[in-house]
Amino acid sequence: MTSRFAVLGAGLMGRLMALSLRRLGYRVDLYDHSGPEGATSAAYAAAAMLSPLAESLDAEPLVIALGQASLRLWPGIIKTLPAPVFFQQEGTLVLWHPQDRDQAVHFDERLSRRHQAGWFDEPHQTLCAEEIEILEPHLGQRFQRALWLPLEGQLDNRMLIKALYSGLVEAGVELHWETAMTPAAARADWVIDCRGLGAKPDWSQVRGVRGEVLRVHSREVTLTRPIRLLHPRYPLYIAPKPEGHYVVGATQIETEDTSPTSVRSALELLSALYSIHPAFGEARVLEMVSQCRPALPHHLPEIRWKGGRVIEINGLYRHGYLMAPAVLEAGLHLIKRLLESPIGDDWQDQQPWPSIYHL
Ligand SMILES: Cc1cc2nc3c(=O)[nH]c(=O)nc-3n(C[C@H](O)[C@H](O)[C@H](O)COP(=O)(O)OP(=O)(O)OC[C@H]3O[C@@H](n4cnc5c(N)ncnc54)[C@H](O)[C@@H]3O)c2cc1C
């Protein structure tokens, strides 16, 4: 008889997992304590930049390897969805104001060391003012130098969440909105727990790391690729989405508080945005969003199976979009093995990315 799966949490990982399992022919129930728009997920709040190079300065090599693998997988996933999703891989521009040149030297040196150590194939480059203007005409000659990270990409998370929802409906996944669920209460042969921070009662090491982003709309400034502004106190990213929308973010705060954006954060984000181009002064602030990223102490993703019917996937932290397709593949690989045959002691050695499994 066909196995029945309950997927808990319809954020990023849960939607991808539920759709994949259904397409493999299983009966799938997907539960989320909020609605189809996913407003309580980290996935909804995110900037959805796919930045293996920039993130390599603070992340482990595993995250960067999963990120590069996922950059290759995203277009194939998006192609199968019944609604369009904006995805691009046109690189990231790293900028700084003249007084912050030391930040750029430091960034450049650390990135070069990562490249020499073999973390990624494609190196970054230094651009002059004319080259910056060719890539981003609206920046004109405002910046004399930039670093160019050609490998990097981004997608539109809100479009992806909607397209995954349409895919879930089309595929026939049983959707249970406004329904909080626990692994113990789920009626299924297998439970895939993708509740992010909501899994904390069953996985005490999961913690939230708060992030705040603004969504603005500008008719005056057109940027076509993500920008990172180096700054000793207010490092900033701007991720341009379709139709003049920009997601502006920076903050990473060790708290599980999801109350609205503070005045200080809004001031810092907006003044850093204005310093990229004064015409952003006329942009309209559409939303201020704060949400927590689900993290584990080592800041790596984990797929945990303790021998029962529950598989837990968590710890995507600030790299969920960067890594999700590769983590999904690893999760599906484990599920396939569990369904096919009893697993021996050597099972961890046979996984595509053994270090993301922990028993
Ligand atoms: C401000 C911000 C910016 C970010 N920017 C980026 C970025 O640029 N690039 C990148 O790669 N990543 C980014 N991320 C990280 C990314 O969003 C997360 O890593 C990813 O969303 C985690 O996916 P998840 O499915 O594990 O958790 P979530 O997306 O949080 O989904 C968990 C779901 O579980 C549901 N849930 C919780 N408890 C229950 C329950 N008891 N029953 C049923 N459902 C439940 C929630 O409602 C939610 O829908 C950012 C995150 C934030 C907050």
Side-chain angles (χ1 to χ4, degrees):
M1 211 175 74
T2 313
S3 296
R4 181 171 171 186
F5 283 82
V7 178
L8 314 191
L12 176 59
M13 206 61 229
R15 285 181 200 230
L16 288 168
M17 178 56 78
L19 186 56
S20 302
L21 289 170
R22 181 68 195 131
R23 284 178 174 170
L24 287 169
Y26 301 113
R27 291 172 61 196
V28 182
D29 290 85
L30 176 63
Y31 297 87
D32 200 285
H33 67 182
S34 84
E37 67 293 339
T40 55
S41 63
Y44 184 81
M49 293 186 300
L50 312 172
S51 311
L53 276 77
E55 292 298 323
S56 74
L57 301 192
D58 297 307
E60 296 289 322
L62 175 70
V63 171
I64 308 313
L66 294 171
Q68 291 181 91
S70 296
L71 268 166
R72 292 188 286 276
L73 293 168
W74 269 124
I77 293 175
I78 289 169
K79 213 162 59 191
T80 68
L81 298 177
V85 178
F86 167 75
F87 169 90
Q88 74 171 185
Q89 197 174 354
E90 308 266 340
T92 299
L93 262 189
V94 180
L95 303 172
W96 57 91
H97 295 298
Q99 64 274 22
D100 300 323
R101 193 178 159 275
D102 289 353
Q103 301 280 324
V105 172
H106 190 50
F107 190 99
D108 188 12
E109 283 171 359
R110 291 170 69 207
L111 211 49
S112 299
R113 281 203 292 274
R114 300 280 189 271
H115 179 243
Q116 281 154 14
W119 284 38
F120 26 78
D121 306 330
E122 208 170 344
H124 67 289
Q125 301 162 26
T126 304
L127 304 185
C128 66
E130 289 73 25
E131 291 168 316
I132 299 169
E133 190 173 10
I134 291 169
L135 284 180
E136 294 294 349
H138 274 214
L139 291 180
Q141 304 256 325
R142 293 181 52 76
F143 293 88
Q144 294 312 302
R145 286 271 181 279
L147 296 176
W148 165 232
L149 320 182
L151 182 72
E152 298 200 336
Q154 64 151 335
L155 54 79
D156 186 316
N157 52 323
R158 302 278 174 92
M159 288 174 87
L160 179 73
I161 288 169
K162 272 194 194 145
L164 283 168
Y165 169 66
S166 305
L168 293 163
V169 172
E170 189 182 85
V173 172
E174 294 285 333
L175 299 167
H176 307 267
W177 303 115
E178 320 291 343
T179 309
M181 186 50 71
T182 62
R187 291 162 62 111
D189 303 310
W190 292 93
V191 178
I192 316 296
D193 186 355
C194 302
R195 289 175 295 162
L197 194 55
K200 203 176 165 126
D202 293 290
W203 195 338
S204 60
Q205 286 177 309
V206 174
R207 77 179 200 287
V209 180
R210 178 179 163 105
E212 294 154 315
V213 296
L214 306 180
R215 287 193 165 238
V216 304
H217 180 249
S218 173
R219 291 183 201 284
E220 287 77 18
V221 190
T222 303
L223 299 173
T224 52
R225 50 181 57 73
I227 304 281
R228 284 182 187 254
L229 179 70
L230 302 179
H231 188 282
R233 289 188 307 286
Y234 321 130
L236 173 90
Y237 55 72
I238 307 172
K241 305 299 178 194
E243 298 175 3
H245 289 229
Y246 295 87
V247 180
V248 184
T251 55
Q252 168 142 317
I253 304 164
E254 275 296 337
T255 170
E256 289 180 358
D257 168 17
T258 52
S259 62
T261 308
S262 68
V263 170
R264 181 198 302 275
S265 294
L267 283 171
E268 289 172 0
L269 290 173
L270 289 171
S271 56
L273 178 68
Y274 183 68
S275 79
I276 296 271
H277 199 303
F280 270 122
E282 287 306 313
R284 296 297 185 258
V285 179
L286 304 177
E287 271 180 69
M288 293 189 183
V289 188
S290 51
Q291 190 49 270
C292 282
R293 310 159 173 108
L296 288 164
H298 47 42
H299 290 167
L300 292 171
E302 281 195 35
I303 300 176
R304 193 168 81 156
W305 175 62
K306 295 194 282 191
R309 62 173 193 136
V310 180
I311 295 170
E312 299 159 284
I313 305 181
N314 217 314
L316 273 74
Y317 183 40
R318 51 184 284 154
H319 307 119
Y321 284 93
L322 179 63
M323 303 181 299
V327 174
L328 173 72
E329 280 207 340
L332 291 170
H333 192 266
L334 171 63
I335 291 166
K336 189 163 168 271
R337 292 229 33 222
L338 287 169
L339 290 171
E340 274 171 0
S341 56
I343 284 192
D345 290 343
D346 63 339
W347 73 279
Q348 285 198 64
D349 304 335
Q350 296 172 27
Q351 306 308 314
W353 289 287
S355 53
I356 68 174
Y357 294 95
H358 293 262
L359 278 172

